[in-house]
């Protein structure tokens, strides 16, 4: 028995030694495998990583909150790479009014008497400004065959307001214009851009749902279901753009016509400067101002007559409050929201359906307040009064950085509405375009239902 016991002891010792040796070997192999994997990963990263230009690099103190870090070290607007890429690279063809019969009427009226200069003024002036900025843009191309997108100029809001065309004429003229655009037919309108600058949105063109329901619409208005069965705005293809703030308040160079004043010198907690228009929210604010005249200023604006406020007087009133109230009017968007940033009062949105521009970049909770329109009353004033001045100052400071995106200036500026729009448009570019009425063959030829090649299509083209 003793020999058997000694044998077992020797066997166990040998096994234990073998386990120790194997364990060390496994550890060394595992460490070598980890090291090799790490080195291989680094090599692959270097091979496949797309370099970012220095001007687009992240600041050292960059935060995920876009409103807190809009610019890079060079002072250029920084767009989050995961949304927009590292640089602008697109080509836009701008239709000339002389090349398409009907464009002149959409821009100047049936008699050609409405000028672009007159249409530039007022809250709908972006219909002209976007067009004029694209004409000067370095991203404009004069060759249709190389264009990523096509811009269709039209000043129909201004033309209609000035009696240049009525609704029926606008509808007929748009249909005539579209029938002369082979590239519109080629893509079904998916790569064509239209500007509709008012609360009516694309409804200015009554047949929009039939003819341009796939096109890219630039508009400040995101909802009109209060008066229409459907909204013409689609968040997947369309782009919300800022309203047109008075140029004298948005200049990059030199002083503006009205300067902000310190919070300590502001007479009112809040104000609303606008017409009631019979709208419930606006009427509630007028009644609230009667109860709290020391906190809320709500003079009803006059558009004509001796009591009409001039633009200087208007902005002087607007700057007297810490908060600028922006209730819904005829539509969900209001120019007052954008104007408030230039007198440095915090905008309070009282329009539940409003859509705001450039949400990929801006965190609106850092620069504004949105309050339920169903709760307009003393509770709103109590809430605003509870906000410390230090918090208001922080919101104003962030808004001061963001407001350049409301200015319709060249994309060559470090920050502008046009630059923001171009970045948004770049996200709409497709490598390939198709429509119900286009077909393609093995040799890449694009043909119609009659197998006629694209270059031989003749206008006017049949429309849906």
């Amino acid at each position: 028995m003793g020999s058997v016991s000694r044998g077992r002891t020797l066997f166990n010792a040998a096994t234990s030694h073998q386990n120790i040796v194997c364990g060390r070997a496994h550890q060394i192999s595992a460490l070598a495998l980890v090291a090799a994997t790490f080195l291989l990963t680094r090599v692959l990263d270097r091979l496949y990583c797309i370099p970012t230009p220095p001007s687009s690099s992240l600041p050292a103190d960059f935060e995920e909150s876009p409103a807190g870090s809009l610019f890079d070290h060079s002072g250029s607007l920084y767009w989050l790479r995961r949304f927009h890429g590292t640089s602008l690279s697109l080509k836009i063809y701008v239709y000339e009014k002389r090349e398409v019969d009907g464009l002149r009427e959409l821009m100047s009226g049936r008699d050609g008497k409405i000028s672009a200069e007159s249409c530039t003024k007022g809250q709908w002036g972006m219909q002209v400004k976007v067009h004029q900025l694209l004409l000067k843009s370095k991203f404009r191309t004069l060759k249709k065959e190389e264009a990523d997108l096509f811009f269709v100029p039209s000043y129909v809001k201004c033309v209609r307001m000035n009696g240049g065309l009525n609704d029926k004429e606008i509808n007929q003229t748009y249909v005539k214009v579209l029938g002369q655009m082979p590239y519109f037919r080629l893509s079904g309108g998916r790569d064509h851009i239209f500007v509709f600058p008012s609360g009516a949105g694309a409804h200015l063109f009554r047949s929009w749902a039939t003819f341009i329901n796939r096109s890219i619409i630039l508009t400040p208005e995101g909802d009109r279901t209060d008066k229409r069965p459907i909204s013409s705005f689609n968040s997947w293809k369309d782009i919300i753009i800022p309203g047109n703030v008075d140029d004298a308040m948005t200049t990059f160079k030199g002083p503006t016509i009205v300067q902000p004043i310190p919070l300590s010198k502001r007479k009112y907690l809040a104000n609303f400067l606008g017409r009631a228009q019979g709208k419930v929210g606006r009427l509630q604010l007028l009644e609230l101002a009667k109860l709290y005249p020391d906190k809320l200023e709500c003079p009803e604006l006059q558009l004509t007559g001796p009591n009409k406020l001039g633009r200087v007087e208007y902005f002087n009133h607007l700057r007297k409050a810490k908060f600028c109230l922006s209730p819904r009017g005829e539509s969900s968007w209001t120019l007052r929201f954008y104007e408030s940033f230039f007198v440095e009062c915090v905008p309070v949105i009282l329009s539940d359906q409003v859509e705001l521009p450039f949400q990929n970049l801006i965190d609106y909770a850092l620069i504004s307040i949105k309050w339920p329109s169903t709760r307009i009353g003393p509770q709103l004033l109590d809430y605003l009064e509870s906000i410390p001045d230090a918090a208001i100052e922080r919101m104003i400071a962030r808004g001061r950085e963001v407001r350049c995106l409301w200015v319709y200036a060249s994309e060559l500026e470090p920050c502008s509405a046009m630059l923001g729009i171009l970045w948004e448009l770049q996200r709409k570019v497709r490598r390939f375009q198709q429509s119900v009425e286009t077909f393609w063959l093995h040799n890449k030829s694009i043909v119609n239902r009659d197998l006629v090649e694209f270059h031989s299509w003749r206008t006017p083209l049949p429309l849906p």
Side-chain angles (χ1 to χ4, degrees):
M1 292 294 294
S3 62
V4 172
S5 176
R6 283 195 300 273
R8 287 176 177 170
T9 301
L10 289 172
F11 175 79
N12 290 338
T15 303
S16 175
H17 176 72
Q18 187 179 18
N19 288 339
I20 292 171
V21 172
C22 290
R24 287 175 180 169
H26 287 154
Q27 290 173 357
I28 293 170
S29 299
L31 289 172
L33 181 61
V34 170
T37 302
F38 175 76
L39 291 173
L40 181 61
T41 302
R42 293 296 298 273
V43 170
L44 291 174
D45 282 345
R46 289 179 179 274
L47 285 174
Y48 293 104
C49 180
I50 300 173
T52 302
S55 61
S56 299
S57 60
L58 285 167
D61 59 349
F62 176 77
E63 300 174 2
E64 279 298 310
S65 168
S69 300
L70 277 180
F71 301 95
D72 61 23
H73 289 306
S74 68
S76 297
L77 188 66
Y78 177 78
W79 289 82
L80 294 179
R81 286 179 297 211
R82 67 174 180 267
F83 293 125
H84 295 281
T86 58
S87 63
L88 275 172
S89 177
L90 74 167
K91 294 179 180 180
I92 302 175
Y93 181 85
V94 182
Y95 285 102
E96 297 280 356
K97 60 182 177 182
R98 64 176 178 270
E99 72 174 296
V100 180
D101 184 24
L103 272 187
R104 184 187 67 83
E105 287 85 348
L106 291 178
M107 298 170 67
S108 306
R110 70 179 75 84
D111 300 323
K113 294 180 179 180
I114 299 172
S115 68
E117 182 181 2
S118 66
C119 292
T120 306
K121 301 173 183 177
Q123 63 178 326
W124 305 306
M126 55 276 202
Q127 61 191 335
V128 180
K129 290 183 176 180
V130 171
H131 177 214
Q132 292 179 341
L133 288 167
L134 282 175
L135 289 176
K136 301 174 183 176
S137 174
K138 67 178 182 179
F139 299 106
R140 180 190 179 193
T141 178
L142 299 179
K143 299 178 181 179
K144 292 189 181 80
E145 62 272 16
E146 69 176 21
D148 299 307
L149 300 168
F150 298 80
F151 183 82
V152 183
S154 168
Y155 309 157
V156 288
K157 177 61 179 178
C158 175
V159 167
R160 182 177 180 272
M161 291 284 289
N162 288 282
L165 291 175
N166 59 38
D167 289 342
K168 182 179 179 180
E169 290 171 323
I170 290 172
N171 201 74
Q172 292 173 338
T173 307
Y174 263 120
V175 173
K176 179 172 70 171
V177 164
L178 297 178
Q180 299 173 70
M181 295 178 171
Y183 280 89
F184 183 88
R185 179 70 164 176
L186 180 66
S187 67
R190 287 175 172 88
D191 53 3
H192 279 58
I193 307 162
F194 298 82
V195 179
F196 291 101
S198 71
H203 290 284
L204 281 170
F205 174 21
R206 288 181 174 180
S207 299
W208 71 268
T210 301
F211 298 107
I212 61 169
N213 63 325
R214 295 178 177 85
S215 299
I216 301 166
I217 295 172
L218 308 185
T219 178
E221 181 54 62
D223 179 82
R224 281 317 305 270
T225 51
D226 59 328
K227 291 187 176 182
R228 312 284 181 176
I230 57 173
S231 175
S232 62
F233 176 77
N234 183 316
S235 59
W236 289 103
K237 67 180 183 63
D238 301 328
I239 298 171
I240 292 292
I241 60 176
N244 183 49
V245 180
D246 194 304
D247 291 343
M249 288 297 295
T250 61
T251 177
F252 281 132
K253 300 170 184 176
T256 56
I257 56 171
V258 172
Q259 300 294 315
I261 57 177
L263 284 184
S264 59
K265 294 185 178 180
R266 303 196 185 187
K267 184 177 180 180
Y268 299 101
L269 173 68
N271 64 25
F272 162 61
L273 271 68
R275 296 176 296 136
Q277 297 177 303
K279 304 303 177 183
V280 174
R282 296 185 173 208
L283 291 171
Q284 288 174 330
L285 289 176
L286 293 177
E287 292 302 313
L288 194 61
K290 294 176 183 177
L291 296 174
Y292 301 94
D294 295 334
K295 296 181 181 180
L296 177 60
E297 182 192 26
C298 285
E300 182 154 3
L301 294 188
Q302 302 295 323
L303 295 181
T304 59
N307 296 323
K308 177 184 177 181
L309 281 182
R311 61 177 182 168
V312 174
E313 291 79 13
Y314 172 80
F315 286 109
N316 272 327
H317 268 281
L318 205 61
R319 70 175 182 169
K320 291 179 181 178
K322 297 178 180 179
F323 299 95
C324 291
L325 307 184
S326 300
R328 182 187 180 106
E330 285 294 334
S331 63
S332 63
W333 86 280
T334 169
L335 186 65
R336 201 165 295 100
F337 171 82
Y338 301 102
E339 292 172 334
S340 65
F341 288 90
F342 295 94
V343 295
E344 298 187 359
C345 64
V346 176
V348 179
I349 302 168
L350 302 171
S351 179
D352 301 348
Q353 289 81 21
V354 72
E355 290 281 348
L356 300 171
F358 312 135
Q359 292 183 40
N360 288 330
L361 178 68
I362 300 171
D363 183 346
Y364 281 93
L366 295 176
I367 61 174
S368 63
I369 294 167
K370 186 181 180 185
W371 183 267
S373 63
T374 53
R375 302 188 70 88
I376 295 174
Q379 185 183 9
L380 169 59
L381 297 182
D382 290 343
Y383 165 69
L384 295 178
E385 201 165 24
S386 72
I387 302 175
D389 280 359
I392 298 173
E393 291 283 12
R394 284 195 296 273
M395 295 182 80
I396 288 173
R398 288 170 177 143
R400 193 180 296 128
E401 188 179 49
V402 166
R403 68 189 180 192
C404 54
L405 286 166
W406 316 151
V407 181
Y408 283 91
S410 167
E411 83 264 4
L412 299 178
E413 295 287 347
C415 170
S416 69
M418 198 62 219
L419 184 60
I421 290 168
L422 287 170
W423 275 107
E424 293 284 6
L425 286 173
Q426 179 159 282
R427 300 173 67 211
K428 311 296 182 183
V429 173
R430 298 181 179 188
R431 182 177 181 180
F432 187 78
Q433 296 286 355
Q434 70 163 86
S435 76
V436 175
E437 297 299 328
T438 55
F439 306 86
W440 53 91
L441 308 179
H442 76 285
N443 59 357
K444 296 185 177 182
S445 295
I446 301 296
V447 298
N448 62 14
R449 288 186 179 275
D450 297 323
L451 301 183
V452 177
E453 291 194 23
F454 174 69
H455 62 78
S456 297
W457 291 5
R458 296 292 178 261
T459 60
L461 298 163
L463 292 171

